Amino acid sequence: MDKDYMKRYSRQIVLKQIGEDNQKKLLEKSVLIVGLGGTGSAAAEMFSRLGVKKLILVDRDRIEITNLHRQILYGMKDLKNYKAEAAAKRLKEINPDVEIEFYNNAFDSSMAWIVDNVDLVFDGTDNMTTRFIINDACDKYEKPWVFTSAIEVYGEFKAIIPGKTSCYACFNAEPEELPVCAVAGVLSTVPGIIASYGVNLAIKILLDYKIDGSIYFIDAFNFEIKKIGIGKNRECRCCSKKDYKYLGKEYSGIGKSMLL
């Protein structure tokens, strides 16, 4: 680790939970972020400042003025541009040493191969079908991922580690329609709060800290957090029976995903 890296990450290196050895580990890690909305854009900036080696960004949406109150990588000059492309440009300004790869596409089964090329996947979507695709791909390629969700003043997050924790399909049987920000609204602080917790969880996974796979629910307005243990489902389609149906051709080109 050269002097520039030592200086940039010095405030992390002095932490007993990180130190120089763990910082070196982070500098070799790659992360896929699916969805560059409220949670995803905040997480992308955190990972960039954290000092991972590479970020792969996937989002097919363009930036709208309604995004700007919570999606922190974008400004007025970015309106109508693709989120993934604009995010990549901004992240390179923040930390030019981080490799950035981006795709202006929805994450569907045709893109699941990317999961095999990273150390961790971060979920920034509010689309259950996309999450099932992520879940199937991560179980198939044995890669950990962090599930996050934020709407109104509430959020949730969970670590999913193949072979160690319950997966997303263990507690969700089939996709269902979820409330969206355009209808339910979202307080500008909530995606950032959830992203912070999610990235903290990702750091622990990347550095091999013990993770129990509980799901955490947050009421940000009333400063409440609940932790609920979720055990593996022995009849789970995905992690138990290895039925990766969401990686099939019918989930390729599935259309526009709705992102926080």
Side-chain angles (χ1 to χ4, degrees):
M1 188 181 296
D2 61 31
K3 290 183 178 179
D4 288 339
Y5 274 141
M6 290 288 285
K7 189 172 183 179
R8 177 183 284 272
Y9 304 115
S10 61
R11 301 305 189 266
Q12 284 182 170
I13 291 171
V14 297
L15 293 170
K16 65 180 181 180
Q17 295 89 347
I18 305 296
E20 186 171 335
D21 288 344
N22 276 337
Q23 185 63 53
K24 287 180 179 179
K25 289 180 183 178
L26 291 174
L27 290 167
E28 294 300 319
K29 300 298 184 180
S30 57
V31 176
L32 166 63
I33 302 177
V34 181
L36 276 299
T39 54
S41 62
E45 179 171 335
M46 292 174 198
F47 280 119
S48 176
R49 295 183 187 277
L50 180 69
V52 297
K53 180 179 182 179
K54 183 175 182 177
L55 290 173
I56 302 178
L57 314 175
V58 181
D59 191 320
R60 68 169 293 168
D61 285 356
R62 294 178 183 266
I63 299 157
E64 301 178 0
I65 197 166
T66 54
N67 302 145
L68 298 184
H69 87 289
R70 68 195 185 281
Q71 299 183 14
I72 63 173
L73 290 179
Y74 319 122
M76 291 295 292
K77 64 181 176 59
D78 299 310
L79 292 177
K80 305 305 179 183
N81 293 332
Y82 282 107
K83 290 181 180 179
E85 189 169 356
K89 182 179 179 180
R90 175 61 180 140
L91 294 172
K92 288 298 287 185
E93 293 173 349
I94 292 170
N95 190 346
D97 295 317
V98 178
E99 298 174 34
I100 307 289
E101 184 178 319
F102 68 89
Y103 297 85
N104 298 321
N105 301 316
F107 186 84
D108 59 22
S109 62
S110 70
M111 299 192 73
W113 59 270
I114 298 175
V115 170
D116 196 30
N117 297 332
V118 298
D119 297 295
L120 180 137
V121 179
F122 190 95
D123 158 43
T125 79
D126 68 355
N127 183 313
M128 284 189 72
T129 300
T130 305
R131 288 192 185 123
F132 277 114
I133 295 170
I134 294 171
N135 190 69
D136 281 13
C138 286
D139 196 81
K140 177 181 178 179
Y141 294 115
E142 299 182 338
K143 300 300 175 99
W145 67 286
V146 176
F147 153 65
T148 71
S149 175
I151 195 76
E152 299 181 14
V153 297
Y154 310 107
E156 54 188 327
F157 59 94
K158 180 189 186 309
I160 298 172
I161 306 175
K164 294 183 179 180
T165 74
S166 53
C167 78
Y168 188 72
C170 283
F171 61 103
N172 289 285
E174 294 292 339
E176 59 185 58
E177 186 175 349
L178 299 174
V180 295
C181 296
V183 177
V186 59
L187 189 65
S188 65
T189 58
V190 176
I193 291 169
I194 299 304
S196 295
Y197 275 112
V199 173
N200 273 359
L201 198 53
I203 292 168
K204 295 187 73 172
I205 295 169
L206 292 171
L207 297 181
D208 298 317
Y209 278 93
K210 185 178 180 180
I211 300 293
D212 67 5
S214 296
I215 191 167
Y216 296 81
F217 297 92
I218 291 179
D219 178 341
F221 207 69
N222 292 306
F223 308 104
E224 296 175 352
I225 182 168
K226 295 180 181 178
K227 174 182 176 181
I228 299 176
I230 298 180
K232 289 175 64 67
N233 179 354
R234 294 184 180 181
E235 298 299 316
C236 177
R237 166 195 60 79
C238 178
C239 66
S240 293
K241 298 182 178 180
K242 306 301 179 182
D243 174 9
Y244 303 131
K245 75 173 188 177
Y246 289 93
L247 301 184
K249 291 183 179 179
E250 62 269 36
Y251 293 99
S252 176
I254 57 176
K256 185 175 180 179
S257 60
M258 295 175 291
L259 308 173
L260 285 174

